[in-house]
Amino acid sequence: MGPKAILGLAGTLVVVLLVLSSVYIIPETHRGVLLRFGELVETDIQAGIHFKVPVIDQVRRFDVRVLTTDLPSRQYLTIEKKPLDVDSYLAWQIRDVDQYYRSTGGDEARARSLLSSRVDNGLRDEFGVRTMHEVVSGQRDELMHLLRDRVTEATLREFGVEVVDIRVKGIELPGSVSENVFRRMATEREKLAQEFRSRGRELAEGIRADADRQRTVVLAEAFARAEETRGEGDGVAAQIYADAYTEDKEFYKFYRSLEAYQNTFSSKDDIMVIDTDSDFLRYLKDPMGSN
């Protein structure tokens, strides 16, 4: 290959390199700015194929999709001066590429730092005018919406960035406060349990006393009915005996004497000194009982 051919090939390569270095592509998800000798000459370059002056011009590309940033856990005071450890994150998006580049130099880390600072100040202000109940459950959504609108108004003006959303991932009491709260809750629950126990013992004593009273009444009524029934039975028995004895008076005397003998001589060791002519022994001497 001769010198002319080599020079021609070299020239062609140079031209190709110049053409390639003068073309750049902005992806659909990005926007760009064009710098010439470090000076901003074109901003908010849309997606597509574009041209620049090789070597002299420099292109910076920025992602305009919604980005998320986890914020470091911070401690904020409520209106009652109670500390809360808050873990949150924000979602943001570049809206004005020109303002974004001028305020941050196109440094995403610097943009995240500036946004975090704005959100941190906003959370501190919003927590400071609300109670613990409001920030934990009652008004959390309202708080986040108000804070997002406030921060977005400032960040759009200063950085060309819209804060799409701010969310609190978790709110916790600091360790020392949590321990004190736990102890207080345990004390309250123990006090409540003691009240329930005392009330239960009081009710149990009342139920037991009522049961004893009812038992006494039932036993008394049963005893009264038993005595009444026994009396009625004794009366009926006495009437039967009386009716039976009036049928034969001599048999009645005989039967009564036998009962007296049985009661008197119930033990072998019993001794009685009595006149044999006594009327008590008349049936022992004569079963007919004749005198």
Side-chain angles (χ1 to χ4, degrees):
M1 183 180 294
K4 290 184 178 182
I6 295 174
L7 289 175
L9 180 59
T12 301
L13 290 175
V14 169
V15 170
V16 171
L17 290 175
L18 287 174
V19 171
L20 291 176
S21 62
S22 64
V23 176
Y24 65 93
I25 299 174
I26 302 296
E28 187 66 32
T29 57
H30 289 63
R31 297 292 182 270
V33 296
L34 184 64
L35 305 174
R36 182 166 296 160
F37 297 114
E39 295 293 331
L40 188 63
V41 295
E42 187 177 357
T43 62
D44 198 20
I45 302 174
Q46 300 298 307
I49 300 176
H50 303 274
F51 297 92
K52 64 176 182 176
V53 178
V55 181
I56 297 176
D57 293 341
Q58 181 184 4
V59 178
R60 298 283 301 276
R61 300 171 180 82
F62 307 110
D63 194 338
V64 294
R65 291 173 295 183
V66 176
L67 307 175
T68 59
T69 298
D70 285 325
L71 303 177
S73 180
R74 301 287 188 186
Q75 188 174 105
Y76 304 112
L77 294 177
T78 63
I79 195 172
E80 312 111 322
K81 304 303 179 184
K82 294 181 179 179
L84 295 174
D85 289 337
V86 180
D87 189 13
S88 57
Y89 74 92
L90 65 93
W92 56 283
Q93 186 176 23
I94 300 173
R95 289 297 187 184
D96 187 339
V97 177
D98 180 73
Q99 183 64 25
Y100 175 77
Y101 180 79
R102 294 180 187 277
S103 59
T104 66
D107 187 349
E108 186 175 311
R110 175 171 171 75
R112 292 179 185 273
S113 176
L114 292 171
L115 289 172
S116 298
S117 176
R118 296 295 189 278
V119 174
D120 179 42
N121 292 334
L123 285 172
R124 194 176 306 279
D125 293 341
E126 293 296 335
F127 273 66
V129 296
R130 286 174 170 79
T131 64
M132 180 183 294
H133 173 73
E134 290 172 345
V135 298
V136 170
S137 59
Q139 299 183 4
R140 183 188 293 192
D141 290 340
E142 179 185 350
L143 183 154
M144 294 299 104
H145 292 157
L146 288 174
L147 179 59
R148 180 197 63 195
D149 295 341
R150 280 182 50 195
V151 173
T152 293
E153 183 180 354
T155 56
L156 276 174
R157 183 178 62 255
E158 298 176 11
F159 315 130
V161 172
E162 176 188 4
V163 175
V164 179
D165 196 12
I166 300 174
R167 289 291 166 183
V168 172
K169 295 189 292 184
I171 299 178
E172 297 181 359
L173 292 169
S176 58
V177 177
S178 298
E179 186 176 350
N180 293 333
V181 170
F182 177 78
R183 283 200 298 267
R184 185 169 65 252
M185 290 175 63
T187 302
E188 292 175 353
R189 292 297 180 272
E190 181 61 31
K191 180 180 178 181
L192 185 61
Q194 188 62 37
E195 291 179 359
F196 282 131
R197 293 191 193 100
S198 299
R199 193 178 307 168
R201 283 194 292 268
E202 182 179 351
L203 290 174
E205 289 297 328
I207 293 172
R208 191 176 294 110
D210 184 63
D212 290 341
R213 181 187 62 79
Q214 293 184 31
R215 174 178 175 273
T216 302
V217 171
V218 170
L219 289 176
E221 292 177 350
F223 180 76
R225 286 197 295 270
E227 289 298 315
E228 182 180 351
T229 303
R230 186 179 294 108
E232 293 175 354
D234 290 344
V236 172
Q239 184 63 43
I240 293 173
Y241 282 131
D243 294 341
Y245 295 154
T246 56
E247 293 292 328
D248 189 342
K249 295 181 179 180
E250 191 61 33
F251 176 76
Y252 173 69
K253 292 179 181 179
F254 176 72
Y255 181 76
R256 295 290 293 176
S257 297
L258 291 179
E259 285 186 339
Y261 296 156
Q262 183 179 3
N263 293 331
T264 302
F265 304 113
S266 60
S267 176
K268 294 180 180 180
D269 298 329
D270 291 341
I271 299 175
M272 179 179 290
V273 178
I274 192 170
D275 188 358
T276 56
D277 295 329
S278 171
D279 188 58
F280 180 73
L281 300 176
R282 58 184 295 192
Y283 288 102
L284 290 177
K285 294 169 59 180
D286 184 0
M288 299 303 295
S290 55
N291 295 324

